[in-house]
Amino acid sequence: MSDELFTLAAATSGAPAAAPFGRVSVAMVTPFLDDGGLDLEGTAALAEKLVADGCDGIVVGGTTGESPTTSDAEKDLVLRAVLEAVGGRARVVAGVGTYDTRHTGELAQAAQKAGAHGLLVVTPYYSRPPQEALYQHFTAIASATDLPVMLYDIPARTGVPIATETLVRLAEHDRIVAVKDAKGDVFASSEVMARTGLAYYSGDDALNLALLTHGAVGMVSVVGHVAAAEYAQMVRAVDSGDLPRALGLHRRLIPAVRGIMTRTQGAIMAKAAVELRGVIRNRTVRSPLIPATDEQVAQLRADLAEAGLA
């Protein structure tokens, strides 16, 4: 879909004016074959299913896509498969963040060459850079291509938050346009939204409704693998001011969020959930992750049923 059509869709749906990566995006798992190789047919089928269910954005190559265990060549193949399948109907964003600025820039340039619509750049992890280093890292990546950038702020995994003042500075860069927010600090996020034009996306399904009511334009969801339609309804309800409807959806989905995001690692359970729905052929993950056990899958089935998603 062209930029003009995305803008028109936003204008006619009551969406905020600046939703550069759609409203309901999913951090997509990477389907594997039984032997651990890429399942590109399954990748395309999953992307098709997500868009059919209501997603207008897909993030590939993120942590939920097991980016630490996929090679650069594999990331490119997955990105191209998703672009070919749904690139005309959804924003396809490439996760390119690493803890090496040079490598991240190379991945960003490869994503642009493949045709990605945008980049997701996580805070460099493990090395715990100071705020000035974060500023220089993100601006270097944003300057490496012509693509719009979504920063990914998830200090529980990276060890370092992107501070409010750093985000305000980064917002001055023309291509830094959005934040995937998994900081867990709604007040801090509200302040950045108040002081900048950055489009905020909830990166924590437990806080999707909270962030939407504070001005977020959408979400980058894991639970959206099985609840995209419900999250699209939530977004529309908030847009229209129907907060009781939005709250009802939030409460209904609590068991699904609990089942996918709290019982073990999220990518493990997201794969189990889409396998349960028959969208992918298995729940294979790459080490150091391990597949969900039969007992975990049985509990997940019960969680999804309680949420009305069975």
Side-chain angles (χ1 to χ4, degrees), residues 48-49 88 98 133 135 187 237 281-282 300:
E48 290 273 8
K49 174 62 173 170
T98 74
Y135 175 80
F187 180 76
R281 67 187 74 191
N282 61 49
L300 176 62

Side-chain angles (χ1 to χ4, degrees), residues 14 28 34 39 70 81 121 150 175 206 249 280 282 303:
M28 198 179 88
D34 291 336
D39 180 0
T70 54
V121 185
M150 179 189 297
R175 285 189 289 280
L249 287 160
I280 60 176
N282 61 49
D303 291 329

Side-chain angles (χ1 to χ4, degrees), residues 25-87:
S25 186
V26 164
M28 198 179 88
V29 299
T30 300
F32 295 134
L33 302 170
D34 291 336
D35 65 3
L38 290 182
D39 180 0
L40 294 177
E41 180 180 342
T43 295
L46 176 55
E48 290 273 8
K49 174 62 173 170
L50 292 173
V51 172
D53 285 349
C55 292
D56 56 1
I58 294 178
V59 174
V60 299
T63 308
T64 306
E66 297 178 71
S67 58
T69 62
T70 54
S71 69
D72 292 359
E74 288 177 321
K75 288 177 174 65
D76 189 71
L77 288 169
V78 170
L79 174 59
R80 289 175 185 271
V82 174
L83 283 164
E84 182 176 355
V86 300

Side-chain angles (χ1 to χ4, degrees), residues 63 121-123 125 151-162 179-184 203-204:
T63 308
V121 185
V122 71
T123 308
Y125 40 88
L151 307 177
Y152 186 9
D153 190 9
I154 182 166
R157 288 183 184 241
T158 64
V160 176
I162 311 175
V179 177
K180 179 184 176 185
D181 179 30
K183 185 179 285 181
D204 181 348

Side-chain angles (χ1 to χ4, degrees), residues 65-202:
E66 297 178 71
S67 58
T69 62
T70 54
S71 69
D72 292 359
E74 288 177 321
K75 288 177 174 65
D76 189 71
L77 288 169
V78 170
L79 174 59
R80 289 175 185 271
V82 174
L83 283 164
E84 182 176 355
V86 300
R89 291 172 285 150
R91 288 294 201 199
V92 180
V93 177
V96 299
T98 74
Y99 58 2
D100 175 353
T101 302
R102 181 177 61 180
H103 187 201
T104 302
E106 292 168 352
L107 289 173
Q109 290 166 354
Q112 177 169 265
K113 184 176 180 180
H117 302 140
L119 305 173
L120 177 70
V121 185
V122 71
T123 308
Y125 40 88
Y126 191 76
S127 50
R128 296 175 62 88
Q131 291 299 310
E132 179 60 29
L134 293 185
Y135 175 80
Q136 293 184 25
H137 172 83
F138 287 128
T139 55
I141 304 312
S143 299
T145 77
D146 298 323
L147 295 175
V149 170
M150 179 189 297
L151 307 177
Y152 186 9
D153 190 9
I154 182 166
R157 288 183 184 241
T158 64
V160 176
I162 311 175
T164 294
E165 295 305 323
T166 304
L167 286 163
V168 171
R169 289 178 67 198
L170 288 166
E172 296 174 2
H173 195 292
D174 289 344
R175 285 189 289 280
I176 296 176
V177 299
V179 177
K180 179 184 176 185
D181 179 30
K183 185 179 285 181
D185 186 340
V186 175
F187 180 76
S189 302
S190 297
E191 182 177 357
V192 177
M193 284 186 264
R195 294 175 61 186
T196 74
L198 291 171
Y200 258 66
Y201 289 80
S202 172

